[in-house]
Amino acid sequence: MSARTTEATPPDRTTPPDVTGVAPSASPSTTPPAAAGEAAGDRLPREHVRVIALLLVSAFVVILNETTMGVALPAVMDEFDIAPSAGQWLTTAFMLTMAVVIPTTGWMLQRLGTRGAFILAMSLFSTGTLLAAVAPVFGLLVAARVVQATGTAIMMPLLMTTVMTTVPLHRRGQVMGNVSMVIAVAPALGPTMSGGVVTALGWREVFWVVLPIAVAALVLGAILVRDVADRARTRLDPLSLLLSAGAFGGLVYGLSAIGEAAQHATPVSPAVPLAAGVVFLALFVWRQLRLQRTDAALLDLRAFLAPGFSVGLGVMAIAMVAMFGMIIGLPLVLQEAMGLAPLTSGLLMLPGGLAMGLLGPVVGRLYDRLGPRPLALPGVVAVGVAMVLFATLTPTSPLWWVLVGHMVLSLGLAFVFTPTFTSALGGLRPALYSHGSAAVATVQQLAGAAGTALFVTLLTIRSVALLDDGASEATATAGGARLAFTVSAVVIVAAVLLATRLRRADAPSGAPAH
């Protein structure tokens, strides 16, 4: 007997102005009645437009916050008089929380609905931001980051699920382009914004700048947001929750520990959390396969059987590995090998991040016309070319060469993310939208941890060998980065092969494909 019942939400048929990139289709007077109704259905109800716009702004704020601590970490360490190994927990705790919470969001979104999930996410994020701003001790600051991360983990699956639920199939690319813009621009602006605020005011002001925006979004959401999809009364399975925490927490922690172990000795071998994560993951999969027979799974794995889902997810994951490797590696080359200041290196990478974000809506419109493969295939090729360009960097390389390489990478990623997100989720039936969005966000976290671990490990191994041979620290760092970028270029070949299999998913039965 199924554990699921639904509460239908009446649709709002009011016609809004177009503020989400979903352009209305004009119908000539000679259009047959059926076609006229279909064209009219292209226009989103005003309530849906408000929800998507508010979710985009809120997602931008929470993702911007995710990348601010790297630049602020030295100031935090000075105030609390802690070692780098302790300070890194500001980032590690955030990543672990995201990895543990995201797999539960498929169930959470269906149980709480759009309104409930949004209020929960922004309440947690706002509370965590306030606690971080006033934290008198380092332990409370770490706890505040955990609370922030819990809210952040809910936001991206909520945004993607809402888009899939409310936007017609042949218009999703445009709106998903805006989602990609948020994913690209917010992380790019985070370090730059943080560097400027920390330099001028201090690290606490990073949180004070974000807090009023988060609270305003929370208040607006409480007033404006209504459920845009059916809710499901599925009971939470405690065993699945425990297995999920062990699986994804263990994998992300183990992957992060690989990079740390390559740099210095660690009390626990990375193999221990990785092995535990694999065991828990196998048990988690087994448990979900049993529960999804009655639609009671915490994360419904039937999403992976949908047309195009696994292929799109695979291309996206490999691109994420390359992107996160670049995020950790390129600043190291710019600062440690080429001698640039942190703020200068951040500004050098800013144009590419902005270009990637601003191109998102354009790529989205092209997706609606061309489908995923004509866009994603040249995109992953461009990412590979950028990795090859980075693999030639030396301490004396001109800055314009770095800028060219980063622009090529950013433009390539812009042509990868929107098509892969949209095509992967496009083949799902509506009941699986939230679970598919949770799976996409979970894979993003794992790919980010894997990319960081791969790059740091290769860079460290090679740079240590060069130092032993008598090279300078700058030369050794550049040499290690060249090896890491070369391996990343080889990994991209797998994404190229997968991209040749991308197809536009047809609307499944019951999907809003009007």
Side-chain angles (χ1 to χ4, degrees):
M1 183 174 178
S2 173
R4 183 184 303 265
T5 62
T6 60
E7 299 173 352
T9 302
D12 181 355
R13 297 296 181 188
T14 309
T15 301
D18 175 31
V19 300
T20 63
V22 181
S25 298
S27 281
S29 58
T30 55
T31 303
E38 184 176 333
D42 286 350
R43 304 182 70 177
L44 289 179
R46 180 176 288 113
E47 179 180 352
H48 295 177
V49 172
R50 288 197 302 258
V51 169
I52 293 174
L54 186 58
L55 287 176
L56 284 168
V57 173
S58 302
F60 185 90
V61 173
V62 300
I63 297 175
L64 176 79
N65 164 81
E66 189 174 353
T67 58
T68 56
M69 276 295 96
V71 175
L73 185 57
V76 173
M77 291 165 52
D78 288 341
E79 176 167 336
F80 291 115
D81 192 23
I82 57 175
S85 57
Q88 288 299 328
W89 273 100
L90 287 177
T91 301
T92 302
F94 198 100
M95 290 178 57
L96 286 174
T97 304
M98 293 275 287
V100 170
V101 174
I102 285 175
T104 71
T105 57
W107 169 86
M108 192 183 303
L109 299 185
Q110 291 189 335
R111 188 71 175 86
L112 299 179
T114 310
R115 174 181 168 81
F118 178 83
I119 292 176
L120 176 62
M122 292 310 295
S123 296
L124 287 168
F125 181 79
S126 300
T127 301
T129 303
L130 176 61
L131 290 175
V134 301
V137 295
F138 181 70
L140 182 57
L141 180 58
V142 173
R145 289 286 284 172
V146 169
V147 177
Q148 276 190 321
T150 305
T152 302
I154 301 170
M155 187 55 62
M156 281 311 299
L158 174 60
L159 173 57
M160 288 190 285
T161 300
T162 303
V163 170
M164 295 302 298
T165 303
T166 60
V167 179
L169 179 66
H170 60 287
R171 298 291 189 187
R172 285 179 187 159
Q174 293 181 15
V175 185
M176 276 296 193
N178 292 328
V179 175
S180 297
M181 180 172 64
V182 167
I183 294 172
V185 174
L189 287 178
T192 306
M193 183 275 285
S194 179
V197 173
V198 171
T199 301
L201 302 172
W203 67 267
R204 293 182 186 275
E205 278 65 28
V206 173
F207 297 106
W208 286 119
V209 167
V210 170
L211 182 60
I213 304 173
V215 172
L218 172 60
V219 172
L220 284 175
I223 297 172
L224 300 177
V225 173
R226 296 292 180 267
D227 290 341
V228 297
D230 295 344
R231 282 193 276 176
R233 292 189 177 278
T234 306
R235 292 188 300 175
L236 178 64
D237 179 50
L239 179 57
S240 293
L241 190 62
L242 292 174
L243 294 175
S244 171
F248 300 106
L251 290 174
V252 169
Y253 182 77
L255 289 169
S256 301
I258 290 176
E260 294 179 14
Q263 295 175 305
H264 52 77
T266 55
V268 178
S269 168
V272 175
L274 281 175
V278 170
V279 171
F280 277 112
L281 180 62
L283 293 173
F284 177 76
V285 170
W286 168 78
R287 182 67 174 170
Q288 303 319 295
L289 291 176
R290 293 194 62 185
L291 291 176
Q292 69 189 26
R293 298 172 186 170
T294 57
D295 292 337
L298 182 69
L299 181 63
D300 198 319
L301 302 179
R302 286 175 291 191
F304 288 89
L305 302 178
F309 185 84
S310 296
V311 173
L313 201 59
V315 176
M316 181 209 72
I318 297 173
M320 281 285 178
V321 168
M323 186 181 79
F324 276 88
M326 179 276 300
I327 287 174
I328 191 70
L330 193 55
L332 282 175
V333 175
L334 294 174
Q335 296 172 38
E336 302 296 330
M338 302 176 71
L340 298 182
L343 184 57
T344 304
S345 64
L347 290 173
L348 190 63
M349 298 168 63
L350 183 60
L354 293 176
M356 176 166 53
L358 296 175
L359 197 58
V362 177
V363 175
R365 288 192 291 270
L366 290 174
Y367 173 90
D368 290 329
R369 293 172 52 194
L370 304 175
R373 187 170 56 178
L375 303 174
L377 186 55
V380 291
V381 171
V383 173
V385 170
M387 292 295 119
V388 173
L389 294 178
F390 289 147
T392 67
L393 291 177
T394 69
T396 58
S397 295
L399 294 184
W400 65 263
W401 187 254
V402 178
L403 185 61
V404 168
H406 192 256
M407 287 294 293
V408 171
L409 175 69
S410 300
L411 296 178
L413 290 173
F415 277 88
V416 171
F417 287 146
T418 297
T420 53
F421 285 151
T422 312
S423 63
L425 295 172
L428 299 177
R429 53 189 173 87
L432 292 177
Y433 285 160
S434 61
H435 293 280
S437 298
V440 168
T442 300
V443 170
Q444 282 181 295
Q445 290 297 308
L446 293 175
T452 302
L454 174 69
F455 200 97
V456 172
T457 301
L458 292 173
L459 183 147
T460 302
I461 292 173
R462 179 58 178 161
S463 60
V464 168
L466 290 172
L467 286 171
D468 290 341
D469 290 340
S472 66
E473 188 169 339
T475 300
T477 300
R482 285 197 298 273
L483 173 63
F485 282 126
T486 300
V487 173
S488 297
V490 174
V491 171
I492 289 297
V493 174
V496 174
L497 297 176
L498 278 176
T500 62
R501 299 177 54 198
L502 283 172
R503 300 287 188 277
R504 189 199 298 270
D506 295 328
S509 177
H514 37 276

